[in-house]
Amino acid sequence: MAASGIAFAGQAGEGGAPAGQASSQSAPSSEAIRPFKVHVSDKALKELKARLQATRWPDKETVSDASQGVQLAKLQQLVKYWETGYDWHRLEARLNALPQFVTTIDGVDVQFIHVRSRHPNAMPLILTHGWPGSPLEFIDAIGPLTGPTAYGGKAEDAFDVVIPAIPGHGFSSLPKELGWGPDRVARAWDVLMHRVGYDHYVAQGGDHGSVISDAMARQKPQGLLGIHLNMPATVPPELVKGIHAGDEPPANLPDAERTAYQTLSKFFARNAAYGAMMVTRPQTLGYGLNDSPAGLAAFMYEKITEWTYPSGNAEAVLGRDRILDDISLYWLTGTASSSSRFYWENNNNNFSSAAQRTTEITVPVAITVFPGEIYRAPKSWAQRAYPSMYYFKEVDRGGHFAAWEQPQLFAEEMRSAFRSLRK
């Protein structure tokens, strides 16, 4: 075991942890915060390359676009680079240069990054990722958030940032029992923020992070000053059935609402099968994704490239290495099944205001709409869904992975959105 208290095992024997899965050999105090370093064994990395080299490819798609899924030539290029050109140790070194920790909450080890600003009175901010993202989404935003004076901001705009991995994702441990859905994670995040020393804080999230932030706001723990969402649950309950059925939108919808309705209707008709599989059969799905890195890459790359703005251009926006950082994290931690189970545990419509019970929220809510989001939430829907909304802005760049794609713009939005809540 490394001196940090957390090490990475190599390839486990039958029934053991997957290659690269974090393991602890001690029984620390339940509230201890232990330093954390990443180290993936050479054996795990060699096995990954061998599996990539041995990929059994399907036949070529019969269309000239990506309407049947990731195109064969495109994925072969990505996988070849993963095998021969990608360097995991580059990411490992970057992560290990950050203050990383792990603590046990409700029986699960939660790994997190915690960077304090050098500026006094910085606002504590917890950032929650989603799928197929990870805490890596926020790495490039740490500088602008914690050191705003170097990025066009003011010292009084500074944040302390806490970036945890949802249990079952990344370097957090895998839940061994039912119940680790958004509400339980939300309670754990409040424990985490108080445990690291904050009596007040704000929360931000997109994708799963939006659902978890909504849950935190409903729970209204002492010290939560407000939340910011970049994938708000705003769809009015009377429209949900029609959207899922592919019905024509009601004739009286204003233009922005009609566009949102049609975008979501198309999403559920043609692009949501991945979610249906994760909601209904995460274990079955995991057998394939946990065994084939090329299969995992195809499953994740499709959504990464589809949801990055402009759609289909993820490698130009994020770069091939950063995309493979994220995919490698899922592979090396063996979290294909456990991350899918979060969908099974949630089993809800993440876009529906009724499903997420947004009208129960009374803490201040801020929303930024990025143009490449799965759907652009209309302000009229947002105001109805979140009665305590005090900030709403539509920006001109970025997609579903807002902080990953546009870290500077994301940080600027955090400064603007939370400025009035600073103590």
Side-chain angles (χ1 to χ4, degrees), residues 129-340:
H129 65 91
W131 184 95
S134 68
L136 301 181
E137 293 176 53
F138 302 108
I139 299 300
D140 289 332
I142 291 174
L145 288 168
T146 61
T149 56
Y151 296 87
K154 299 177 181 179
E156 55 265 33
D157 290 327
F159 293 92
D160 287 352
V161 296
V162 177
I163 309 172
I166 299 170
H169 298 69
F171 301 122
S172 288
S173 65
L174 281 56
K176 303 300 183 184
E177 61 181 5
L178 294 176
W180 275 99
D183 287 341
R184 193 167 179 180
V185 175
R187 290 191 293 270
W189 276 193
D190 181 60
V191 171
L192 175 62
M193 292 303 282
H194 286 282
R195 189 173 292 179
V196 298
Y198 300 119
D199 58 13
H200 66 271
Y201 62 93
V202 291
Q204 196 285 329
D207 197 87
H208 290 330
S210 178
V211 179
I212 291 166
S213 297
D214 275 348
M216 294 176 74
R218 287 197 310 271
Q219 294 167 6
K220 200 177 179 180
Q222 184 175 3
L224 178 63
L225 302 178
I227 65 171
H228 177 279
L229 310 170
N230 59 278
M231 195 193 79
T234 67
V235 179
E238 69 272 14
L239 298 180
V240 171
K241 184 177 180 180
I243 287 171
H244 279 269
D247 296 342
E248 287 295 314
N252 61 342
L253 287 185
D255 288 346
E257 295 182 13
R258 176 177 294 273
T259 298
Y261 183 108
Q262 292 171 329
T263 301
L264 279 171
S265 186
K266 180 180 178 181
F267 169 78
F268 284 111
R270 303 296 298 177
N271 297 309
Y274 77 97
M277 294 172 70
M278 295 163 90
V279 164
T280 58
R281 293 294 186 272
Q283 189 68 18
T284 301
L285 183 63
Y287 293 120
L289 299 184
N290 215 53
D291 186 62
S292 169
L296 178 67
F299 194 65
M300 294 179 65
Y301 181 82
E302 176 184 295
K303 296 309 170 193
I304 291 172
T305 195
E306 191 174 86
W307 295 344
T308 301
Y309 184 76
S311 180
N313 206 26
E315 289 188 36
V317 175
L318 298 170
R320 187 176 288 178
D321 283 300
R322 288 206 292 164
I323 293 171
L324 287 173
D325 286 344
D326 190 59
I327 297 171
S328 297
L329 178 63
Y330 277 82
W331 174 261
L332 293 168
T333 56
T335 49
S337 291
S338 57
S339 60
S340 297

Side-chain angles (χ1 to χ4, degrees), residues 347-360:
N347 196 17
N348 227 332
N349 183 340
N350 292 344
F351 305 114
S352 167
S353 59
Q356 298 306 323
R357 297 156 47 201
T358 59
T359 56
E360 298 176 20

